[in-house]
Amino acid sequence: MNGWLPAAALLLVIGFAPTVWGAASGPVRRRVMAQNLATLACCLVLLLLAQGYARPSYVDLALVLAVLGPAGTLVYARLLADELAERPARDPVARALDRAMTPFAAISVPLVVLPLCVATGPGRAMVKLLAIGALLIGGNIVSTRALSARRATGQEGGAAGG
């Protein structure tokens, strides 16, 4: 057993288990934000497992998830726009998730991707890892702003309509 597998297990327990709870319970805003964080954590776990098991195909799965995860969050934000606008974020867990999403991505992605880049060395694999890291951080920023814009638009629209 190498060090990548315990790191993946730790990230799975610390990063993925709470997001499953958040996605399974609570208001709509908390569920959508938890889904976004779950895709981030799952993608990072796939990267660690790819290195731990020496399976480059797992990196391709992480790349697909890095592209489709934020897109899924944007689809949910679009489809659930009315519910997101009706219920402002009074839930303290949803507010904490809202504040923690971008810093979590900005901290956890480099903590996983940079050691993996050092381990793989220069080449095509390192470029793919850096692209996945950029997609994860950029996608998280875009989806967080989309969810925040939905909340702001919903509150302004309710005030103007009333």
Side-chain angles (χ1 to χ4, degrees):
M1 177 189 266
N2 54 31
W4 302 109
L5 299 178
L10 182 68
L11 183 61
L12 193 61
V13 170
I14 292 174
F16 194 66
T19 58
V20 169
W21 172 80
S25 65
V28 174
R29 182 171 309 284
R30 181 194 315 173
R31 286 184 267 155
V32 173
M33 286 186 278
Q35 174 267 335
N36 189 35
L37 282 176
T39 58
L40 173 76
C42 186
C43 189
L44 293 176
V45 166
L46 280 172
L47 290 175
L48 290 170
L49 290 176
Q51 185 68 28
Y53 289 128
R55 304 267 179 160
S57 60
Y58 292 176
V59 176
D60 295 336
L61 289 174
L63 178 62
V64 170
L65 189 60
V67 171
L68 295 180
T73 302
L74 294 175
V75 168
Y76 279 127
R78 175 75 174 164
L79 292 175
L80 300 172
D82 294 336
E83 288 186 41
L84 290 172
E86 286 175 7
R87 299 179 185 178
R90 290 189 190 110
D91 183 25
V93 176
R95 276 187 272 168
L97 276 173
D98 197 16
R99 284 188 222 117
M101 278 173 44
T102 302
F104 178 73
I107 293 170
S108 64
V109 170
L111 281 177
V112 171
V113 171
L114 293 178
L116 288 172
C117 286
V118 170
T120 58
R124 186 181 299 167
M126 187 173 87
V127 171
K128 194 183 287 188
L129 286 171
L130 291 173
I132 290 170
L135 283 171
L136 286 174
I137 292 174
N140 199 295
I141 290 170
V142 167
S143 58
T144 301
R145 291 199 182 191
L147 289 172
S148 297
R150 289 281 172 216
R151 182 176 60 226
T153 304
Q155 289 175 349
E156 288 172 7

